[in-house]
Amino acid sequence: MTYKDLAELIFPSITKTPEDYENIYPERSLSEGAKVVRFAPSPTGFMHIGNMMSAVINYVLARGSKGIFYVRNEDTDQARTVEGALDFIHHTLKYYDIYPDEYEYNDKQAGNYGPYVQSERMEIYHAFVKHLISIGKAYPCFLTPEELTEIREYQTKSKKRIGIYGKYAKCRDITPEEAIKRIKAGEKFVIRFKSEGDFNKKFVFEDLVQGKIEFPENDLDVPIMKSGDLLPTYHFAHLVDDHLMRTTHVVRGQEWMSSVPLHYELFHAFGYKMPKYIHTSLILKKDEETGAIRKISKRKDPEALMFFYEEKGYPILAVIDAVMTIANSNYEEWRTNHPDTPFYEFPFSPKKMSPSGALFDLDKLDNISKNFISKMKAEDLYHDYLTWAKKYDEHIYDVISKYKDETIAFLNIERETKKPRKDYENYLAIFPKSWYMYDEEWDRELEYEFGKITDKEEIVIVMEEYLNNVYDSNDMQDEWFNKIKVLAEKLGYAGDMKEYRESPDNYKGNVADFTTIMRVVLTTKAMTPNLYDIMNILGKDKMFKRLEILKEKY
Ligand code: GLU
């Protein structure tokens, strides 16, 4: 009996060979230099910032080279599948407008290299496993869980390397006859790769981020197909899928780097060319409590998961810019010089990725985002704000829908100027800085931020004088301010700052103190966008209403 008989016994219904699949999934005909990249998350957790970085890099590499970006659902660890994780991945890619060219999701599929879901590729994996068994490069291993534990415990105790290699690979040399007998007797087995590596020899490969890396050769007989569900392990699926889907560049987390010697052996066993590897840096952050730099944590850091950015309403392009900024050290400079160029035209270079880790900082994102929002047109900002509110805050949605024009007018204050205001880092930050524009919001507890002048009687006099005798909605800003100055002087405030500085005791305050009174009555805040614009949006009636509220509540 031969290895072929053994392979036949294990996979009686598999008729196709790896060569057949070569023909089914031929080399892609793309232009020179086109990159074929994939985002291959496992639905075992919700999309996080590390996934996002991989996805964005993939997208940029594909767009920048007129290549292909596809998504593969790596669902072989079915026990750890988290409900909703896959939906969230697709939702997030759509939300950020970085949707792949090829994918399979629900009843939709695009691309000729599918299925793009690993659990649907069983037959393909089995053809490849069958081939390896038939040439004696893979074998059924009958070690029981208890035996494996025993080996591991022994290796730990005697400080040996952990794993199935050398003398621990007890089933490696079992003859096909014996294997066939044991399988027929119903013994359970996994399929292991028969490594030919030597741990004492060096294996060198070039990672596009890390440069040349040296590892010992792989000599572990790793499982390539599990017993039970007969699904492949990650390593084997990587070989089969990335070969057949014709991936040119694998972008994946650094934790996979030490597996490259094994992956090399697997590709080598079939005579396939390996893809190039971009092992992305770890995403780091400064710990709020200790100040130490550490890995970002899905458990501890809300910003590690992509929900965070959407719930707070960061503009999608600001998030992408923040991610690109940590992905490539020259992105920020490029962005400054190309403020209006789409991010995917950036010439991403793995060499410009920090091998030691990428420091992600929310303040940085806030800055990027404030800048971004400050340059949006008020109508566009309103639209995105409304869309966000519709999903995340019904109350805000109701209010800003009702007061559409006022909201746009408010958002437009000091916008479209050379130095626009940078008030908002996200849509969530808008309402706390604008609620005072809406009548219905004034039933809340109020905290008036008066400055120098706090006397209620004085405040009421100033406001009544102003509203009854001075305010005119037709005034241009200069006229508006001149009239305020005249009134200020009439009521005992210095209209001229120099005069005030020379003899402050002669006045109740200066014209700035005077406008603060009005600002705080109308908004409760000491700092707001331009008061002239706020007054014009509110109009006289609403300003009177604010005064009535002050009389009652202050
Ligand atoms: N499914 C693997 C993971 O989520 C993907 C690694 C890869 O991209 O090859 O970690």
Side-chain angles (χ1 to χ4, degrees):
M1 285 203 213
T2 62
Y3 288 126
K4 247 184 132 150
D5 299 321
L6 176 60
E8 222 34 75
L9 174 72
I10 299 175
F11 299 106
S13 56
I14 295 296
T15 52
K16 287 199 182 77
T17 64
E19 233 173 277
D20 294 330
Y21 286 111
E22 285 297 287
N23 298 325
I24 298 173
Y25 304 108
E27 292 270 1
R28 294 169 181 265
S29 52
L30 295 170
S31 54
E32 173 99 16
K35 296 182 173 77
V36 179
V37 290
R38 84 299 192 273
F39 175 46
S42 301
T44 49
F46 291 103
M47 180 133 169
H48 55 76
I49 188 87
N51 293 141
M52 181 68 181
M53 187 161 81
S54 294
V56 174
I57 293 173
N58 277 314
Y59 187 83
V60 171
L61 288 175
R63 287 291 294 251
S65 67
K66 299 204 168 42
I68 297 287
F69 168 41
Y70 71 87
V71 166
R72 185 167 66 228
N73 178 9
E74 304 217 323
D75 63 344
T76 56
D77 193 349
Q78 306 224 315
R80 284 179 51 230
T81 297
V82 169
E83 208 188 312
L86 180 68
D87 293 331
F88 187 57
I89 288 164
H90 281 269
H91 163 79
T92 304
L93 296 175
K94 228 185 202 121
Y95 181 75
Y96 286 94
D97 203 10
I98 49 173
Y99 216 66
D101 306 302
E102 299 177 6
Y103 65 95
E104 188 179 324
Y105 174 56
N106 289 341
D107 50 359
K108 293 201 196 80
Q109 172 168 351
N112 298 324
Y113 286 78
Y116 295 92
V117 178
Q118 289 187 328
S119 59
E120 293 169 18
R121 299 172 63 77
M122 196 81 117
E123 231 180 79
I124 306 176
Y125 302 125
H126 286 180
F128 279 70
V129 177
K130 183 174 184 181
H131 172 76
L132 279 189
I133 296 174
S134 71
I135 59 170
K137 288 194 174 178
Y139 63 91
C141 170
F142 302 96
L143 289 172
T144 61
E146 295 74 36
E147 285 173 304
L148 287 169
T149 310
E150 209 175 289
I151 292 174
R152 198 177 334 106
E153 279 172 4
Y154 170 77
Q155 289 171 333
T156 311
K157 234 192 296 155
S158 48
K159 300 211 161 56
K160 300 248 183 323
R161 256 187 320 126
I162 306 287
I164 299 304
Y165 57 93
K167 66 176 181 195
Y168 307 106
K170 291 186 182 144
C171 298
R172 186 182 159 101
D173 296 320
I174 289 179
T175 59
E177 284 82 358
E178 190 188 339
I180 288 171
K181 212 167 24 171
R182 292 174 73 168
I183 291 171
K184 283 191 173 158
E187 262 190 70
K188 278 210 169 126
F189 61 90
V190 301
I191 303 294
R192 283 185 190 273
F193 179 61
K194 198 185 268 184
S195 171
E196 286 163 17
D198 177 348
F199 188 74
N200 296 311
K201 285 195 186 146
K202 294 271 169 275
F203 170 80
V204 182
F205 89 102
E206 177 136 11
D207 179 73
L208 294 186
V209 176
Q210 312 279 335
K212 273 209 169 62
I213 306 262
E214 221 180 68
F215 283 109
E217 282 185 7
N218 174 66
D219 67 344
L220 300 179
D221 284 3
V222 296
I224 55 175
M225 188 188 89
K226 301 177 257 183
S227 69
D229 59 14
L230 304 184
L231 281 164
T233 57
Y234 167 76
H235 307 296
F236 199 68
H238 161 47
L239 152 82
V240 174
D241 295 346
D242 283 315
H243 176 69
L244 293 181
M245 297 180 180
R246 308 294 173 178
T247 308
T248 61
H249 292 68
V250 167
V251 180
R252 65 182 180 189
Q254 230 176 46
E255 67 275 19
W256 295 109
M257 193 145 70
S258 57
S259 303
V260 175
L262 163 65
H263 298 163
Y264 169 78
E265 256 205 297
L266 289 169
F267 276 83
H268 192 68
F270 285 92
Y272 297 153
K273 189 170 159 229
M274 282 185 106
K276 292 195 162 59
Y277 290 97
I278 294 174
H279 285 105
T280 56
S281 327
L282 291 178
I283 299 193
L284 309 173
K285 72 168 278 181
K286 195 170 181 177
D287 189 278
E288 286 95 2
E289 277 166 30
T290 64
I293 303 292
R294 61 167 172 79
K295 219 176 119 178
I296 204 161
S297 148
K298 280 192 266 177
R299 253 180 326 106
K300 276 196 255 170
D301 307 314
E303 75 271 28
L305 292 172
M306 292 311 292
F307 296 115
F308 178 86
Y309 307 94
E310 202 180 323
E311 283 167 11
K312 291 220 171 353
Y314 282 96
I316 59 170
L317 290 173
V319 175
I320 290 179
D321 268 359
V323 167
M324 286 300 291
T325 300
I326 59 165
N328 247 194
S329 56
N330 56 334
Y331 184 79
E332 199 172 357
E333 196 190 329
W334 177 85
R335 175 48 84 215
T336 310
N337 297 330
H338 304 80
D340 302 316
T341 309
F343 70 92
Y344 50 80
E345 288 183 21
F346 171 70
F348 176 86
S349 161
K351 298 240 158 6
K352 295 266 163 52
M353 180 162 228
S354 156
S356 54
L359 189 62
F360 187 68
D361 167 2
L362 277 183
D363 291 341
K364 180 90 201 173
L365 167 65
D366 284 352
N367 274 333
I368 291 173
S369 193
K370 276 186 177 164
N371 216 1
F372 187 88
I373 292 178
S374 77
K375 289 187 194 152
M376 290 169 82
K377 289 229 178 314
E379 286 81 7
D380 296 340
L381 175 56
Y382 174 78
H383 172 268
D384 290 358
Y385 178 31
L386 187 72
T387 309
W388 168 83
K390 188 167 186 187
K391 184 159 177 193
Y392 291 106
D393 196 315
E394 205 183 335
H395 176 67
I396 295 178
Y397 179 75
D398 289 344
V399 175
I400 66 175
S401 302
K402 178 169 170 192
Y403 296 101
K404 178 177 176 189
D405 294 343
E406 289 85 344
T407 303
I408 293 175
F410 180 81
L411 292 173
N412 203 35
I413 301 177
E414 294 170 77
R415 190 170 285 277
E416 295 189 47
T417 62
K418 252 205 181 125
K419 277 197 162 178
R421 291 182 66 90
K422 296 183 181 174
D423 290 310
Y424 316 116
E425 63 277 22
N426 51 42
Y427 308 137
L428 180 65
I430 300 178
F431 205 69
K433 291 182 177 171
S434 59
W435 61 268
Y436 49 75
M437 297 305 290
Y438 311 110
D439 287 355
E440 288 86 340
E441 293 301 309
W442 284 76
D443 59 2
R444 63 176 70 190
E445 217 164 284
L446 300 175
E447 232 178 275
Y448 285 103
E449 297 174 0
F450 285 112
K452 188 167 164 92
I453 309 299
T454 53
D455 178 57
K456 184 169 175 177
E457 223 170 292
E458 173 70 9
I459 292 166
V460 172
I461 288 170
V462 166
M463 238 20 228
E464 280 181 344
E465 274 282 329
Y466 180 70
L467 291 177
N468 283 321
N469 305 322
V470 178
Y471 178 75
D472 180 344
S473 63
N474 296 313
D475 288 344
M476 299 303 282
Q477 185 157 341
D478 285 354
E479 238 174 325
W480 167 86
F481 189 59
N482 280 335
K483 285 185 181 173
I484 285 181
K485 264 209 260 186
V486 170
L487 178 64
E489 279 166 6
K490 184 178 145 198
L491 295 179
Y493 296 77
D496 184 287
M497 284 308 244
K498 211 172 129 223
E499 279 170 24
Y500 179 70
R501 253 177 266 122
E502 278 162 11
S503 39
D505 296 342
N506 293 349
Y507 302 98
K508 293 180 187 166
N510 60 44
V511 68
D513 300 320
F514 189 78
T515 51
T516 295
I517 297 174
M518 301 198 274
R519 188 187 305 275
V520 177
V521 172
L522 298 177
T523 70
T524 74
K525 305 276 181 204
M527 306 261 267
T528 70
N530 190 355
L531 184 60
Y532 167 76
D533 293 309
I534 290 180
M535 284 186 170
N536 285 346
I537 299 168
L538 287 173
K540 211 169 189 169
D541 286 352
K542 287 193 178 176
M543 292 200 271
F544 268 117
K545 272 194 201 160
R546 304 292 188 263
L547 176 59
E548 287 315 305
I549 295 172
L550 173 108
K551 285 182 185 166
E552 198 186 305
K553 290 193 164 185
Y554 178 59

